[in-house]
Amino acid sequence: MEFVADFHLHSKYSRATSQQMDLENLGKWAKIKGILVLGTGDFTHPLWLKEIKEKLESAEPGLFKLKNSKNQTRFILTTEVSCIYFKRGKERKIHLIIFSPSIEICEKINNYLKLYGNLETDGRPTLSLDAKELLKIILNVSEDCLVVPAHIWTPWFSLFGSRSGFDSIEECFEEYSKYVFAGETGLSSDPKMNWRLSALDKITLISCSDAHSPSHIGREANVFDCNLSYFEIIKAIKEKDQNKFLYTIEFYPEEGKYHYDGHRNCGISFSPKETKKYNGICPVCGRPLTIGVLNRVEQLADRPEGFVPENAIPFKSLIPLEEIIADALGQNTGTVQVEKEYNNLIDKFENEFNVLMKVSRSDLEAVTLPEIAEGIIRARKGKVFIEPGYDGVYGKIRIFQKEEQKSISRQGTLF
């Protein structure tokens, strides 16, 4: 069966996260978005694991569902941890996603990890532990677990991060590199950028939302066609099986908050070319710029832009529906009219991914404003204007030129 999965998100016990990030709301929003398999996130947090045990029950092998509920969402046990340690004379800060097939295995993992950091302070705990040692601990608990480097290019906390990462998987994980089967692209990169590194051909690229609020789940996701089971999903990822792992759903990477180089406080946003011109130094404050994902990919790439490896899992770039509607109406997300139009489309077409990828123009035009229908079709075709994000500032994405929406709306009323 074909389904959408988003593995990496956070609970209400993580810092800077909505208090709405509880299991009931996650189940509700998974249905709205069109996600069948959703990560629990944060199973390392004792209070969140307690809620997982109380509110979920076993469904298919290694998957869980809400007790006493008709909600069809399946939960997969996941967490993200932050490993901070010194290696080869440099401080390293690596975020890793852990997948577990059972609550009992989560408990065993937590018993080990609490020796390296306080699991109660944050849903994504900070551990004084080498990433390689973490991988070793997890696999010793259960070979059915999967450890995936998170958002592998972001500057501050990732495998290839310009500020604290490494130049290769092998440099980080050494002899345990053979157990690294996947990497998460993160919001600021897409598969196309990652394909420029031949060293990444051997791993599978997954994409997840890293959501901190319910409405953001699924902004990146994965589409599978396999049996509904933890073990089948993990197998499809490990084997990079194109018949079972169909494609990933991607944010436009420019919209991510670390795509370009720059300084947020100085208002400086540079392409890699401009950074080179200034020797990596901010012209306003004189300090080194935060080097973004695009620049870092350029540094490590051994292939030209546009190269596609033979065994690559394809991808589709999408814009969240609420953003499309807001742009079509010339409003901000979260306004009453934007919410009304969003709910109308979900009502008519079941979920957001149906609207973004499948519903025809004529069916859209039958139930919504012509400029919204036009925006959805343009976004589907990649006809967008983007101001890249940098140094923690999200990029801005536009579908329409100024005042263009009004002329589309006027044309719509003529017919």
Side-chain angles (χ1 to χ4, degrees), residues 17-45:
T17 303
S18 165
Q19 285 304 297
Q20 296 294 307
M21 290 297 268
D22 57 39
L23 292 163
E24 294 85 357
N25 271 311
L26 288 171
K28 177 186 124 185
W29 274 93
K31 184 170 184 272
I32 291 168
K33 294 286 181 175
I35 298 163
L36 182 60
V37 176
L38 193 64
T40 58
D42 296 358
F43 74 61
T44 39
H45 196 283

Side-chain angles (χ1 to χ4, degrees), residues 49-88:
L49 188 59
K50 184 170 177 277
E51 287 195 31
I52 288 169
K53 287 163 76 173
E54 287 170 356
K55 294 180 179 180
L56 299 184
E57 62 186 3
S58 291
E60 297 77 13
L63 300 178
F64 299 82
K65 62 182 181 180
L66 283 160
K67 288 178 183 173
N68 308 315
S69 171
K70 291 178 181 172
N71 187 288
Q72 294 301 302
T73 306
R74 295 302 188 254
F75 288 93
I76 187 167
L77 298 163
T78 60
T79 194
E80 182 188 22
V81 299
S82 177
C83 291
I84 300 185
Y85 58 102
F86 277 86
K87 190 163 189 167
R88 294 181 189 168

Side-chain angles (χ1 to χ4, degrees), residues 149-155 158 160 183-197 200 205-208 219-220 248-260 292-297 315-317 389:
H151 42 70
I152 57 177
W153 293 100
T154 54
S158 75
F160 297 128
E184 183 190 44
T185 56
L187 301 182
S188 295
S189 93
D190 64 11
K192 182 169 81 255
M193 293 161 67
N194 288 267
W195 293 340
R196 295 187 60 196
L197 269 77
L200 296 185
L205 299 171
I206 68 169
S207 295
C208 306
R219 58 186 172 178
E220 293 207 327
T248 59
I249 292 166
E250 306 283 333
F251 223 49
Y252 280 90
E254 298 89 343
E255 204 180 351
K257 55 185 179 178
Y258 290 105
H259 190 72
Y260 260 17
V293 169
L294 188 62
N295 197 328
R296 187 71 173 134
V297 171
F315 72 97
K316 295 182 181 183
S317 296

Side-chain angles (χ1 to χ4, degrees), residues 75-134:
F75 288 93
I76 187 167
L77 298 163
T78 60
T79 194
E80 182 188 22
V81 299
S82 177
C83 291
I84 300 185
Y85 58 102
F86 277 86
K87 190 163 189 167
R88 294 181 189 168
K90 186 178 172 183
E91 187 180 37
R92 312 292 180 169
K93 297 178 179 180
I94 313 291
H95 283 188
L96 299 156
I97 308 162
I98 305 168
F99 292 67
S100 165
S102 75
I103 288 169
E104 293 71 33
I105 286 168
C106 291
E107 290 173 329
K108 285 181 185 175
I109 288 169
N110 291 356
N111 281 334
Y112 279 102
L113 298 189
K114 69 184 181 186
L115 304 174
Y116 301 94
N118 186 345
L119 302 186
E120 295 177 19
T121 55
D122 191 3
R124 180 186 59 212
T126 298
L127 307 173
S128 301
L129 186 61
D130 186 307
K132 180 187 88 168
E133 296 303 317
L134 176 103

